[in-house]
Amino acid sequence: MTTAAEDRTLVLVRHAKAEQGGFDADHERELTKRGHRDAHAAGKWLCDQGIGVDEVICSTATRAQQTCEGIWSAGCSEADIHEEHRVYNASADRLLEVVREADEDANVVMVVGHAPGIPALASILAEGSGSDRAHDLMSEGFPTAGVAVLRFSGHWADLAAGVARLDRFHVARAERQSADT
């Protein structure tokens, strides 16, 4: 393994819109029809941006796993998907620990998780660096099916606050086909 820095891309995805439900069943909540469409739209956007993914770290929650499935159904090449229980409702610090363990051979890693951890991690890593437009969009909120694309140079184990640049931010929304949620 080389010690030279490598260009890395971290894609942070907040799961798509899920059914409303009681706290007891939170882990098993599924995507709504809109959520499935938005997950597919997120995958289409990633493909349109030319972003291929080498490794996915996904929450064990049903809605996060279904978001991954929707992204792949849009034609993104499937990557190694690691279901990780530590991503479920994780803080930004916990998510950072998980990302630092990513495969060193993976240049593009995607994390599919939940708010507030995913939005907080994006903010902490970039700390205002990168695209002004992306930061402006992200400052308006990080809703379901939000996608932040961050770039940095180095090893995953060295990822830390302020070392990344926010390259793009997108909220995936499929065109409305009906009034359902």
Side-chain angles (χ1 to χ4, degrees), residues 44-58:
K44 183 175 181 337
W45 182 80
L46 287 165
C47 290
D48 290 348
Q49 300 300 305
I51 299 173
V53 178
D54 299 318
E55 180 180 2
V56 177
I57 304 168
C58 183

Side-chain angles (χ1 to χ4, degrees), residues 155-178:
H155 299 284
W156 292 115
D158 299 327
L159 186 62
V163 302
R165 299 172 318 281
L166 180 63
D167 188 48
R168 290 173 243 181
F169 182 77
H170 178 72
V171 178
R173 293 290 183 254
E175 291 185 30
R176 293 199 80 154
Q177 297 175 348
S178 66

Side-chain angles (χ1 to χ4, degrees), residues 67-84:
T67 298
C68 279
E69 292 167 9
I71 289 170
W72 304 140
S73 75
C76 284
S77 59
E78 290 193 37
D80 291 334
I81 299 174
H82 304 282
E83 293 177 11
E84 176 56 65

Side-chain angles (χ1 to χ4, degrees), residues 47-147:
C47 290
D48 290 348
Q49 300 300 305
I51 299 173
V53 178
D54 299 318
E55 180 180 2
V56 177
I57 304 168
C58 183
S59 166
T60 55
T62 302
R63 60 194 179 274
Q65 293 174 7
Q66 289 176 332
T67 298
C68 279
E69 292 167 9
I71 289 170
W72 304 140
S73 75
C76 284
S77 59
E78 290 193 37
D80 291 334
I81 299 174
H82 304 282
E83 293 177 11
E84 176 56 65
H85 70 278
R86 295 178 295 167
V87 174
Y88 176 67
N89 285 338
S91 68
D93 289 339
R94 173 60 62 93
L95 290 171
L96 181 55
E97 289 173 14
V98 171
V99 174
R100 285 178 176 155
E101 297 170 8
D103 186 338
E104 274 302 313
D105 291 334
N107 289 321
V108 182
V109 171
M110 177 187 295
V111 180
V112 181
H114 312 270
I118 290 287
L121 181 59
S123 293
I124 289 167
L125 291 175
E127 289 186 349
S129 295
S131 162
D132 289 339
R133 176 75 177 137
H135 278 283
D136 288 346
L137 290 170
M138 195 168 75
S139 73
E140 294 173 8
F142 203 123
T144 56
V147 181

